[in-house]
């Protein structure tokens, strides 16, 4: 399944990036501290597990943050494993 047309929503009130596929909500929780975006938890709706939703959601999140000139601090195990599989995105990881 392709997710290019699914919009990533920055829900600032809930501090997460939302990704709704087929009516099911998945998200990445974040905290902004000292201008850095800490990605702390990724959760995919059970109905969507194993369908590539988490990977597409992380990709869109990183594209969104890069367009804003933001750096990330990955604290989520899924985001860390994604970065291992896609080392080109390590350019967004803050070195502090």
């Amino acid at each position: 399944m392709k997710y290019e047309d699914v919009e990533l929503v920055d829900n600032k009130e809930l501090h997460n990036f939302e990704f709704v596929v087929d009516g099911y909500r998945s998200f990445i929780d974040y905290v902004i501290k000292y201008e850095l975006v800490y990605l702390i938890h990724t959760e995919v709706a059970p109905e969507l597990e194993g369908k590539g939703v988490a990977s597409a959601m992380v990709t869109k999140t990183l594209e969104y943050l890069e367009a804003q000139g933001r750096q990330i601090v990955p604290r989520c195990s899924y985001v860390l494993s994604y970065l291992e599989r896609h080392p080109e995105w390590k350019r967004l990881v803050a070195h502090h």
Side-chain angles (χ1 to χ4, degrees), residues 19-88:
F19 201 63
V20 178
V21 175
D22 297 333
Y24 298 106
R25 178 181 177 271
S26 300
F27 59 90
I28 300 175
D29 285 326
Y30 69 83
V31 173
I32 296 176
K33 193 173 182 181
Y34 308 114
E35 295 301 312
L36 298 175
V37 180
Y38 288 71
L39 301 175
I40 55 177
H41 177 69
T42 299
E43 191 165 316
V44 173
E47 297 83 357
L48 301 173
E49 287 179 4
K51 297 183 178 178
V53 171
S55 180
M57 183 169 57
V58 172
T59 299
K60 286 192 178 230
T61 297
L62 296 176
E63 290 170 348
Y64 173 79
L65 292 171
E66 184 173 50
Q68 291 189 333
R70 299 285 203 152
Q71 288 192 304
I72 66 165
V73 179
R75 291 287 187 250
C76 164
S77 60
Y78 184 85
V79 172
L80 288 165
S81 68
Y82 178 94
L83 291 170
E84 289 303 312
R85 291 190 314 274
H86 303 276
E88 68 276 13

Side-chain angles (χ1 to χ4, degrees), residues 2-17:
K2 300 281 184 206
Y3 301 109
E4 288 88 3
D5 297 334
V6 177
E7 182 185 3
L8 180 78
V9 176
D10 182 358
N11 187 331
K12 291 178 171 65
E13 193 171 296
L14 294 178
H15 303 286
N16 60 39
F17 295 109

